[in-house]
Amino acid sequence: MTSPLSLLHFLNGLGGEAVERHGPWPRLVVDEAAWKALIGQLAVSRWSLLGLWAEQGVVHMALRDAEGDEFAVASLPCPDGRFPSVSGVRPSAQRLERAIQDLYGMTAVGLADGRPWLDHGRWPLRHPLAASPGEPGQMPPYEFLPVLGEGLHQIPVGPVHAGIIEPGHFRFHANGEAVARLEERLGYVHKGVEKLMEGRSVAEAGRIIARLSGDSTVAYGFAFALAVEAALRHDPPPRAIWLRGLMAELERIANHLGDIGAICNDASFAVMLALCGALRERVLRAADQCFGHRLMMDRVVPGGVTHDLNPEGAALLRSLVSELRPALADVVHLYDEENSLLDRTMGTGIVSGTLVHRFGAGGIVGRASNRDIDARRTPCYAPYGFFDFDVPTSFAGDVNARVWMRMREVASSLDLIEAMVRDMPSGDLMSDLPAAVGEGMPAAAGEGMALVEGFRGEILVWVRLDADGRIARCHPRDPSWFQWPLLEAAIKDNIVADFPLCNKSFNCSYSGHDL
Amino acid sequence: MWKLLATTLLNGPRTEPPPPVSTDALLELAASVNRAARARLGRSLSIRQVDAGSCNGCELEIHALGNVFHDLERFGLRFVASPRHADVLLVTGPVTANMREALLRTWNATPEPKWVVASGDCACTGGVFAGSYAVAGRVEDVIPVDLHIPGCPPSPRDLLSALLALLQVASSG
Ligand code: SF4
């Protein structure tokens, strides 16, 4: 067997030009021939697509080579607004390219599905991020994919759903009870965050990105901070780094507990919702007492963190861990001994390992189908390098596996919290970012990228700071981008009534995806 | 399961006493409620939550209203699936351009008398999203609002004390 070609080796051979001040991974500007060669190589390589986003006249593609733990960005200048589509070799690129077309008015040449995605024809302008946005045009009605066959009927659901959840539209084609196809239509909560961040100070943009997906506010704050710090080659103080890790694990536990309860509740097992809801509340209250906000919003900022953990807080977290460990054992026991519940979750909503790899889906959804990646381990970021922790995976890919991943991750995060509280270094919470002293001072400029493991999966944030230290461009890529399409696959041939269960077991973000 | 049920029985309920009724909310409602056709609803209100563009943080805390600590339903407040069954629309988020029509339709589908609560900074002012091309505005730019609950997100206790004020006003008509 020949050893596979490494990503960086291949990229360097394309004759691209490496961009200075892009951290921590290389970014290469390539020409169209090289971009096409890269697409050709993607067809035969196992590199995964981490992100695809645009700027005026440029399109960027972030890639990972899992074999060698290599990460890189390839950028194609396309002054005429046309770039060769990547979606033929990476289907996960399809919706990202549709979004680029909507936001920038660029054209992904060869994109099979050219329907608009985020633009529903209701904005006061078209191509809001383009150099000169267009007039709002008449948009033809959105055409769902046709399904032909005897006895098929359509069930439209949403955007306003029956529960307390975010809005989106699901179009089911069903044959009796069985789902022949689910098609998602998203974009309802598009708030234009990328445009809003442009030209803002780092602090202002941080408050916006912390509200991209409220359930992952710590993870987004963390990723944004790492990206800005990478752009400025800045190291925050050690204590701040540990506090970030601590908040990130509290957020993970709170969300997983909420999800375990909600999934079981969607299988009509309400007692689990009551049990997990109480445990989640304990975590949020501890977060509130330690850091002054139940969701810990705006606590992780570029340069450090805003709140310290005092000795009472540390004691509180220790007792939280010792309370949650036996409680988690109760949850596991309750789940695992209830046959009528397992009957609903086992074998339901299966996602194959092949699909998960093709779409580069991470997080719970990826790991439950044996895609063994976790940004905390690779590329790894502080403070996680200091700890050994369990990253569970499964082969099954069903709702049951996704419940189990969450239960095991809670256990692993409890260990992490205990260790972080025990070994936390002392010192400052913040260090000043290099500031722009005047017009064109390069200290404040740069480009940075970060991958952070939120409870849902890998969050990518890419940022460019201008010479004044303001945001020239910031692109956050929610893990949901690569998980939503798999939900369509998971529900196929299942019964309509199991959709809430499948959907909850994914728990993708609408707001994070819709930008 | 039995062990869990037994422990729960022995330890008693964890439900906490309610927070005081929000005076700010009472004041705001005193002004707005004359406008609404007041009707005796008994001591109960059905709430339909509508996310008109939130970041989902507000939803997390609204969910927490149902947990055993807050136990919303003991007050006769409950969440319903259809706007046609609702007395109250609890709206979160700045209203995005893409959700504006859905919000209007939901409001139109809710029978009179109805109350609209704008919950969270985004719903009240647009929050950090105000001014975006993709945001149609605050909730009250789209439908009439009776009560504002500030906060990002409002905590379950903030939500509860405001909703209790609404319950008090609505059931004294
Ligand atoms: S008020 Fe805060 S938590 Fe609520 S939707 Fe707005 S940003 Fe999110």
Side-chain angles (χ1 to χ4, degrees), chain A residues 211 297, chain B residues 54-55 57-58 120-122 151-153:
Chain A
R211 287 157 179 79
M297 239 172 206
Chain B
S54 109
C55 79
C58 276
D121 286 349
C122 288
C152 181

